[in-house]
Amino acid sequence: MRLFIFAFACGVAFLQVQGELPGTGLMAGLAALALAGIFMSTGRQRAFGQLSPILGAFCCVLLGFVWAGFLAQQRLADQLPVAWETKDIQLTGVIASLPQRFERGERFEFDVESVHTPAATVPGRIMLSWYHAWDDLDDTELAQEGSVARAVRPGERWRFTVRLKRPHGNANPHAFDYEAWLLERNIRATGSIRLSGDMQRQDDFVLRPGYVVERLRDILRNRFLSTLPDGAYLGVLIALTVGDQRAIPNAQWTIFSRTGITHLVSISGLHVTMVAALFALLINWLWRRSERLLLWLPAQQAAVAAAWLAALVYALLAGFEVPAQRTLYMLSVVALALCSGRNLGVSRTLLLALLVVLVLDPWAVLATGFWLSFGAVALLLFVGSARLGEARGWRATFARWGATQWAVTVGSLPLLLLFFQQFSLVSPLANALAIPFVSFVITPLALIFAVLPWPPLLYLDHWLLAQLMTLLEWLADWPMWQQAAPPLWATLLAIAGVSWLLLPRGFPARWLGLCLLMPALFWPPPRPAFGEVWVDVLDVGQGLAVVVRTVRHTLLYDSGPLYSADANAGQRVVVPYLRAIGVGQLDTIFISHRDKDHAGGLTAVQAAVPAGRLLSSITGLGGELCSAGQNWEWDGVHFSVLHPQSADYLIKTKKSNNMSCVLKIGSESGDVLLTADIEAADEQALLARSPALLRSAVLLVPHHGSKSSSTPEFIAAVGAHQVVFAAGYRNSFRHPRPEVLERYAASHQWRTDQQGAAHIVLAAGVAEVTAWRNERRRYWYGQ
């Protein structure tokens, strides 16, 4: 059974890396073949003798592949037609999730019940943003019952006029796949509510089980907000109670990440298990006090039922994420085994939970939390089973606790390096202190307050959490291990090394496991050869961020847009990408001009990655002002600033776009011209000064493809064979404009909004461009 479940999981995972879904006929044929093979290789059949288990496993791989493909076809069939993107659509539906407040409004999932616009087709579940004028309102006012600032609550039926887009997210190497996240949650379109359109609340509450849970989460969140509105760590307590992590500030997330306890501030399997265990102990103790109850049902079975019910309620309050699902399914298997008198064993229990998760949600394998969650549990079971029969007493307990912390720290290294390219060196100490404190003090007090809203409970809980945070802030200042993302083979080798290293004491040559860890720990990041240059135009939406690498130097040209007061491309895209490619220090940060879509991520980049030099056209920013005539050379690659001129800084009426720093990168294999947001007048000035210097093999199209740039004379002077448009998907400026695309018809066009990040390589005498979505095609892209 274990082999077959594992094979089924492999089939599910294999489907999720496909660029296209198989046709219905092919999947039907594979399903028939798989079922026939399983029938012939199991039970009394065993038509293939000793090869039967191998054949059965192969058929289970096919079955997992087909099952995931069938569900994917059903989900992708519910989509928004391209023709209805960004058009006004009137519809009625129900607020289906806990609304999440952001800087200018709130965002929520919406179940569409009816569409009133003739001929319009809308998916069944969408995500909507409602923009409000909330700048002067705090969370207390928003939490007040009947406040006009509160726009929606879960379970309400509303009539809206909306504008929608198909699922789309930034596509960059080593980055979060937003489209996959939407697919897993069955959100098939995103958009915003038109304030000028029809807007009416039709019902205060629609009675359905899912909406009841979400309304309860909303009530509990508001209870916390109204009781302690100014609590610095209130967001953590809310996250531990109802799974809403949006109220946790970025600064606190940084502390949790640097100390390796991020898993503790979300409702993880550990918390669900803790709640189930507490309820089991309580019911078991109470049940044994009644002879009548004992005659009706044994205390052990009553405790198991209570534990399972508590775990179910808590998992639902958490939003039913993968870690909570995994724990609930494992507890379900254990409960059934105890009630039936059978012992399935820890490995079968874990694999049965895995099977249930993937049957219900085959996209779970796309989530980082899935791998970390099941990996951590498998690791603990592996280590725990090897230490049965050890001595008792506080010393033995302490030793086992230390061994567990060591096992979790070492065992999680391969996945942490693969997914995040970093791990905390103080994680064992931080977890040893925080796990018991958060699990058995902070979380229970928060849950008790949720049930019995006595304010002193929350005040005490917040004070205790503040003491823990003081310690964690001190630990967060300790260094972290950061490096380039290792290849998959090195990660698999490291997993094997960890398994070898954690074998029971007395097993010979356990130290060899450390050797298998070395490739993942010290993987050297790839770099271009001498005289070659790599240029990455990252997909940051409507903005610009470009990473330039030579053999020993790295330059960042612009830092991407500012998305909101708490989010920018620097922290979300640029810094993670630099870490993934092994860049721990920048030689130069080059900010072309002050517009927030180019300089919005600068502060985040400077805070995370030291830089030796800062160049920009922004007076007062610090560093140096860029000026035509500046030149330098790195590793056989020449860098030249072509615009603006020094005299331009004396003209106070110059627009920000007209001050854009133009940078040319040249090698023996060709040139790349980075133009930021220059406009027609600047192009003419460049043509008048030095038209020969403009000649380049690859051009980053000026101003995202605006009609105010890219004059025919400029395009002819550059003569680029390859052009890159950096623009946001369905952006409000309609960049790149159709007439501009027509002007570049003779060149090969690349667009970050359609193809993701563009990778430019100047090597071997040629200039080559590839796009991330083309190189790593997935079946849900564009769907």
Side-chain angles (χ1 to χ4, degrees):
M1 181 183 72
R2 285 173 288 192
L3 176 62
F4 288 177
I5 293 177
F6 182 76
F8 181 87
C10 290
V12 171
F14 184 60
L15 187 279
Q16 307 306 343
V17 298
Q18 300 303 305
E20 301 290 342
L21 285 178
T24 304
L26 176 60
M27 285 204 296
L30 292 176
L33 180 63
L35 293 174
I38 292 174
F39 176 76
M40 296 178 64
S41 60
T42 57
R44 296 183 178 180
Q45 307 298 321
R46 290 196 173 271
F48 298 90
Q50 294 182 350
L51 294 178
S52 292
I54 298 176
L55 175 62
F58 176 74
C59 292
C60 285
V61 171
L62 292 181
L63 197 60
F65 182 84
V66 170
W67 175 252
F70 171 76
L71 293 184
Q73 282 187 339
Q74 299 301 310
R75 187 154 292 185
L76 292 183
D78 185 24
Q79 62 179 337
L80 177 73
V82 175
W84 281 99
E85 285 190 291
T86 68
K87 292 185 178 180
D88 286 356
I89 302 174
Q90 194 176 89
L91 45 79
T92 297
V94 181
I95 311 301
S97 69
L98 189 67
Q100 304 292 339
R101 186 189 175 194
F102 57 93
E103 183 184 11
R104 293 177 295 147
E106 60 184 341
R107 184 175 292 113
F108 49 85
E109 296 175 23
F110 190 72
D111 285 342
V112 178
E113 294 180 322
S114 58
V115 180
H116 309 295
T117 302
T121 301
V122 177
R125 173 163 284 204
I126 60 179
M127 180 177 288
L128 295 177
S129 298
W130 191 344
Y131 295 91
H132 305 286
W134 280 0
D135 297 337
D136 299 324
L137 296 172
D138 58 26
D139 285 330
T140 307
E141 293 172 293
L142 291 172
Q144 293 173 355
E145 293 291 336
S147 169
V148 294
R150 182 203 301 277
V152 296
R153 299 189 67 184
E156 292 178 340
R157 177 178 282 121
W158 279 81
R159 183 186 182 104
F160 290 131
T161 300
V162 301
R163 282 189 177 179
L164 301 175
K165 298 178 183 179
R166 292 157 72 92
H168 190 89
N170 298 336
N172 298 286
H174 313 289
F176 173 68
D177 192 335
Y178 181 61
E179 292 173 51
W181 183 86
L182 291 174
L183 178 67
E184 183 188 4
R185 282 152 180 78
N186 196 23
I187 300 171
R188 304 304 303 131
T190 63
S192 59
I193 295 169
R194 302 284 290 166
L195 301 182
S196 59
D198 188 16
M199 188 184 309
Q200 180 184 1
R201 181 191 285 113
Q202 297 186 335
D203 288 299
D204 290 334
F205 186 70
V206 177
L207 185 60
R208 292 177 192 166
Y211 303 153
V212 171
V213 172
E214 293 302 315
R215 177 62 69 91
L216 178 60
R217 296 178 71 203
D218 182 62
I219 292 172
L220 295 178
R221 182 177 65 174
N222 291 337
R223 180 173 295 171
F224 278 83
L225 290 172
S226 59
T227 304
L228 192 62
D230 299 324
Y233 308 110
L234 185 65
V236 177
L237 298 179
I238 293 175
L240 291 172
T241 306
V242 297
D244 177 19
Q245 303 175 5
R246 300 294 181 91
I248 301 178
N250 289 328
Q252 292 178 18
W253 279 120
T254 301
I255 293 172
F256 300 143
S257 175
R258 292 189 62 84
T259 54
I261 66 163
T262 304
H263 61 98
L264 282 181
V265 294
S266 59
I267 300 181
S268 63
L270 175 66
H271 297 132
V272 176
T273 304
M274 179 270 298
V275 169
L278 290 178
F279 269 84
L281 290 174
L282 177 63
I283 297 302
N284 187 61
W285 183 80
L286 293 174
W287 206 268
R288 291 178 184 276
R289 298 298 179 272
S290 172
E291 182 178 348
R292 179 176 298 179
L293 291 175
L294 286 173
L295 291 174
W296 177 63
L297 184 69
Q300 183 188 35
Q301 293 186 9
V304 167
W308 181 86
L309 185 60
L312 172 63
V313 172
Y314 194 37
L316 291 174
L317 284 178
F320 216 56
E321 299 293 338
V322 168
Q325 288 183 40
R326 181 260 305 160
T327 305
L328 179 64
Y329 298 147
M330 287 184 65
L331 291 175
S332 301
V333 173
V334 171
L336 290 173
L338 289 176
C339 292
S340 64
R342 300 183 62 184
N343 183 7
L344 296 177
V346 292
S347 61
R348 285 190 178 89
T349 301
L350 181 63
L351 285 171
L352 283 172
L354 174 67
L355 177 64
V356 175
V357 168
L358 293 183
V359 167
L360 298 178
D361 181 14
W363 300 278
V365 297
L366 301 173
T368 301
F370 169 87
W371 298 98
L372 293 176
S373 176
F374 274 97
V377 174
L379 181 68
L380 291 174
L381 294 176
F382 175 70
V383 174
S385 63
R387 289 171 170 78
L388 294 176
E390 289 190 356
R392 298 182 178 182
W394 70 268
R395 292 181 180 177
T397 301
F398 184 79
R400 283 194 295 271
W401 179 256
T404 300
Q405 289 302 312
W406 160 253
V408 170
T409 301
V410 175
S412 61
L413 281 183
L415 292 181
L416 290 177
L417 291 176
L418 178 66
F419 294 132
F420 305 113
Q421 300 84 53
Q422 63 180 9
F423 64 89
S424 172
L425 296 176
V426 298
S427 175
L429 176 59
N431 277 280
L433 297 172
I435 286 178
F437 198 61
V438 172
S439 300
F440 300 108
V441 180
I442 302 295
T443 303
L445 282 175
L447 292 174
I448 292 173
F449 172 78
V451 178
L452 303 173
W454 186 45
L457 276 177
L458 186 60
Y459 301 153
L460 173 63
D461 202 15
H462 188 271
W463 181 83
L464 292 172
L465 179 59
Q467 309 315 304
L468 175 64
M469 290 299 298
T470 301
L471 176 61
L472 294 177
E473 288 172 6
W474 176 69
L475 291 175
D477 292 332
W478 290 30
M480 293 189 66
W481 184 282
Q482 294 188 355
Q483 65 172 76
L488 182 59
W489 67 264
T491 301
L492 295 176
L493 199 64
I495 293 174
V498 165
S499 302
W500 189 279
L501 186 64
L502 296 178
L503 285 169
R505 182 180 300 176
F507 199 91
R510 287 193 302 161
W511 59 270
L512 288 175
L514 288 174
C515 299
L516 299 180
L517 275 171
M518 292 301 104
L521 282 171
F522 299 100
W523 177 253
R527 303 285 299 198
F530 185 86
E532 299 178 354
V533 61
W534 296 349
V535 181
D536 295 300
V537 183
L538 300 180
D539 180 10
V540 293
Q542 185 63 17
L544 183 64
V546 183
V547 177
V548 183
R549 283 176 284 173
T550 65
V551 65
R552 289 190 299 269
H553 296 83
T554 306
L555 176 145
L556 175 66
Y557 182 88
D558 283 341
S559 57
L562 180 71
Y563 301 130
S564 68
D566 297 322
N568 59 74
Q571 70 185 71
R572 289 191 176 181
V573 180
V574 178
V575 171
Y577 181 72
L578 292 174
R579 184 169 60 240
I581 62 175
V583 175
Q585 180 172 349
L586 289 165
D587 295 279
T588 299
I589 296 179
F590 203 125
I591 302 300
S592 63
H593 61 300
R594 69 170 61 254
D595 286 2
K596 67 180 182 180
D597 58 331
H598 292 252
L602 176 60
T603 302
V605 173
Q606 288 179 315
V609 186
R613 183 186 186 192
L614 175 63
L615 273 170
S616 76
S617 64
I618 308 172
T619 55
L621 182 63
E624 308 170 47
L625 293 175
C626 64
S627 179
Q630 291 172 324
N631 295 275
W632 68 93
E633 186 171 307
W634 287 342
D635 310 319
V637 179
H638 192 71
F639 294 78
S640 305
V641 179
L642 306 184
H643 184 81
Q645 292 184 296
S646 299
D648 292 332
Y649 289 99
L650 302 176
I651 306 174
K652 302 301 182 182
T653 57
K654 279 270 188 179
K655 290 197 311 180
S656 176
N657 285 349
N658 302 134
M659 295 300 295
S660 295
C661 302
V662 176
L663 179 65
K664 184 178 181 181
I665 306 167
S667 72
E668 293 183 356
S669 301
D671 305 276
V672 177
L673 188 62
L674 307 180
T675 58
D677 282 357
I678 60 171
E679 297 183 340
D682 311 303
E683 295 174 357
Q684 295 304 314
L686 283 167
L687 288 169
R689 289 199 305 268
S690 50
L693 289 179
L694 296 176
R695 200 75 181 174
S696 302
V698 183
L699 170 67
L700 181 63
V701 175
H703 203 179
H704 318 288
S706 167
K707 64 181 180 181
S708 64
S709 307
S710 297
T711 60
E713 298 81 8
F714 177 79
I715 295 173
V718 175
H721 300 295
Q722 314 247 22
V723 296
V724 180
F725 293 88
Y729 181 74
R730 296 281 183 179
N731 63 86
S732 58
F733 305 100
R734 296 174 59 198
H735 294 160
R737 304 288 291 197
E739 57 267 37
V740 175
L741 291 171
E742 182 62 30
R743 294 174 200 168
Y744 289 101
S747 303
H748 190 159
Q749 299 176 11
W750 304 87
R751 295 176 53 171
T752 59
D753 60 331
Q754 294 183 350
Q755 298 157 301
H759 180 57
I760 305 166
V761 176
L762 303 181
V766 296
E768 294 184 352
V769 183
T770 55
W772 178 243
R773 288 184 186 268
N774 296 352
E775 295 295 304
R776 183 189 172 274
R777 177 68 189 167
R778 293 294 183 264
Y779 67 82
W780 56 83
Y781 284 166
Q783 302 297 316

